[in-house]
Amino acid sequence: MQEAIARLRQFRDERDWKQFHNPKDLSLALSIEAAELLEVFLWKSPEQADLNKVKEELADVIAYALLLADSYDLDVEKIVLDKIALNEKKYPVSKAKGTATKYTEL
Amino acid sequence: MQEAIARLRQFRDERDWKQFHNPKDLSLALSIEAAELLEVFLWKSPEQADLNKVKEELADVIAYALLLADSYDLDVEKIVLDKIALNEKKYPVSKAKGTATKYTEL
Amino acid sequence: MQEAIARLRQFRDERDWKQFHNPKDLSLALSIEAAELLEVFLWKSPEQADLNKVKEELADVIAYALLLADSYDLDVEKIVLDKIALNEKKYPVSKAKGTATKYTEL
Amino acid sequence: MQEAIARLRQFRDERDWKQFHNPKDLSLALSIEAAELLEVFLWKSPEQADLNKVKEELADVIAYALLLADSYDLDVEKIVLDKIALNEKKYPVSKAKGTATKYTEL
């Protein structure tokens, strides 16, 4: 994702937007974009969603996730791999297989 | 992100969770994780957030974004680059520089 | 809703929480509770949701909505009636009947 | 809130929208409106938010909360009062006074 991150930084800096990008507001922006993605599915079955809109809204979500990670100098792939390792303990295969139950209720 | 995507698929398939992962519910999961990330900043200044919690919640957001993209066979970096190109038209530097105004009101 | 509003203020003031309740963070709290409500439906059909959890999470959403309205001295019923009047223009019966299309695309 | 509820039902039924209003999608709509409310505060200090927009977005949140409650025949004031009673146990004054810490960490 190095090219995407570089382009996002450049886009931000050309517009002098770093002043607005504190991590709290970046998290707000991420939540707002996640809701716009959700809206693509509103009142619809999963199959009825417009794929072009999914692409655009999902891209916005990922863009803010990358900007937030970058503001803390985090490596996005590393934090995902670390979290998977944690989730393997929260959701052992023996208990979680075939059930959507949350780990707090397993 | 190829390793993360491969691990996420494996994690999902070992638990037989693909049956739950339609794109609508994946979008719900993504919104829910985005709100958990937001909660790390609730009642706080941006600097007061716990970085370990940010890492974990941001990782969950990215994980669902990758799984949703994967369910449509989308290349996440490509859709981000495509969206940046669109945003360059919505937010021309001449109008957007130094202002946080939404494109609909520029 | 006068009793609920009075009890919410009392609950807040007994805990000396007004210091945290600026409108921005109240909006974060509202979004977070809305996501917890959403989680009751995650990976499920609408009928499978646990009604007790729906009640609790919906109550939290309404509680923060009332606290936010109260912080601005707004009458919640009045703002809802005013918004319905606006929506009658955005969604005229002749165009909107039987379709879930958003007003921007009607 | 009886008048608001009656008007919301009428608005919905004139447009034949009850067919879309299952509780899961109503919860999605509520989350989406909560995010639109959040957007009024994005990149801003709490005082900079536009009050007219706050009113409109908060009204939308409350409207969907009322419609969701109505779909289950719930009395909104009663569920809020019940939840406050629960929260008094989760957040005893002696532990919670003056701190924004979540009950799971008190």
Side-chain angles (χ1 to χ4, degrees), chain A residues 25-84:
Chain A
D25 279 292
L26 285 171
S27 296
L28 266 82
L30 179 47
S31 259
I32 292 163
E33 297 299 343
E36 292 184 7
L37 174 62
L38 205 53
E39 194 173 1
V40 183
F41 295 92
L42 181 65
W43 318 126
K44 292 184 184 155
S45 71
E47 300 73 31
Q48 289 173 315
D50 177 325
L51 181 55
N52 276 322
K53 289 186 187 170
V54 170
K55 279 185 200 175
E56 289 192 23
E57 302 303 343
L58 180 55
D60 283 334
V61 167
I62 298 167
Y64 280 116
L66 294 174
L67 285 165
L68 179 58
D70 193 51
S71 79
Y72 287 112
D73 257 323
L74 299 173
D75 175 325
V76 283
E77 183 147 33
K78 184 183 180 316
I79 63 171
V80 173
L81 292 172
D82 287 350
K83 190 63 190 345
I84 295 171

Side-chain angles (χ1 to χ4, degrees), chain B residues 15-40:
Chain B
R15 284 155 190 78
D16 197 15
W17 282 355
K18 201 173 181 179
Q19 58 182 313
F20 306 116
H21 284 198
N22 67 77
K24 184 169 181 171
D25 279 293
L26 286 171
S27 296
L28 266 83
L30 179 47
S31 260
I32 292 163
E33 297 298 343
E36 292 185 5
L37 174 62
L38 205 54
E39 195 173 1
V40 183

